[in-house]
Amino acid sequence: MVIAPATPEFSRTVPLSEIGTASKSRHLTASEAERNALARRFALLSLDSLEADVSVQPEGTAYFAEGRLHGEAQQACVASGEPVPAKIDEGFRIRFVAETGFEAESEVELAEEDCDTLFHDGRVIDLGEAVAQSFALALDPFPRSPNADAALKAAGVKDESEAGPFSALAALKEKLEKK
């Protein structure tokens, strides 16, 4: 889960009273200003598009948002800083549960099924923030441009064959062959 800012940049709230006992569907599209703010939040060079089709339905005391998101962004290569295009087209399912009282300093353990869980305040759920977080989690955490290896080599970073467990043996072999 990504930590949300106090005021989400891409907020699309749905009152729980509107959902009732039936499913609600929405098409969400981030504006240019919202995409620019999200790009800053997620350290992207740009966020060119972000949209999603979402259906929300109640299940017991929880609400489930299910849908598909589409987005295009430019990430910075981890080695060279060059733009790396990212195209995300992915399904998601998020469970919204009511916030429970817990201490800010207490440690919270999450089970595997809790990893796609967001909290609501008992009045509304924020589908826009759920889509933004899902998009951020779908991005490559270590984007690499085609020139990444050359940039790393120029910076003096050794590749795996030079720094791996057999690199010392390879250097010794090379030294022995010169004699």
Side-chain angles (χ1 to χ4, degrees), residues 8-169:
E9 304 88 341
F10 179 46
S11 182
R12 299 293 189 275
T13 59
V14 176
L16 297 180
S17 60
E18 262 187 37
I19 300 169
T21 57
S23 178
K24 277 281 190 204
S25 294
R26 296 270 197 285
H27 178 79
L28 311 177
T29 302
S31 70
E32 182 179 359
E34 291 167 331
R35 292 191 320 269
N36 290 338
L38 287 170
R40 283 189 298 278
R41 175 174 160 199
F42 299 134
L44 300 171
L45 299 176
S46 69
L47 179 52
D48 305 315
S49 67
L50 179 60
E51 59 183 59
D53 289 303
V54 186
S55 177
V56 182
Q57 74 180 54
E59 194 171 303
T61 59
Y63 295 85
F64 285 87
E66 192 167 7
R68 187 152 207 90
L69 67 88
H70 309 275
E72 291 187 28
Q74 295 287 323
Q75 295 180 271
C77 171
V78 294
S80 68
E82 295 174 322
V84 177
K87 188 170 184 168
I88 306 297
D89 179 6
E90 159 165 325
F92 62 91
R93 181 172 163 86
I94 298 171
R95 179 176 64 157
F96 287 89
V97 295
E99 285 184 279
T100 56
F102 61 88
E103 297 173 31
E105 298 296 318
S106 65
E107 193 171 308
V108 177
E109 300 245 354
L110 296 175
E112 184 176 332
E113 66 272 7
D114 292 332
C115 291
D116 290 342
T117 298
L118 293 175
F119 297 104
H120 66 78
D121 62 4
R123 297 177 313 207
V124 298
I125 58 175
D126 194 338
L127 296 178
E129 178 58 22
V131 167
Q133 288 190 26
S134 296
F135 177 79
L137 291 171
L139 291 168
D140 184 348
F142 303 104
R144 292 174 61 100
S145 73
N147 300 324
D149 290 336
L152 290 170
K153 191 169 192 108
V157 177
K158 295 180 179 182
D159 68 16
E160 206 171 292
S161 66
E162 297 171 318
F166 296 106
S167 63
L169 290 175

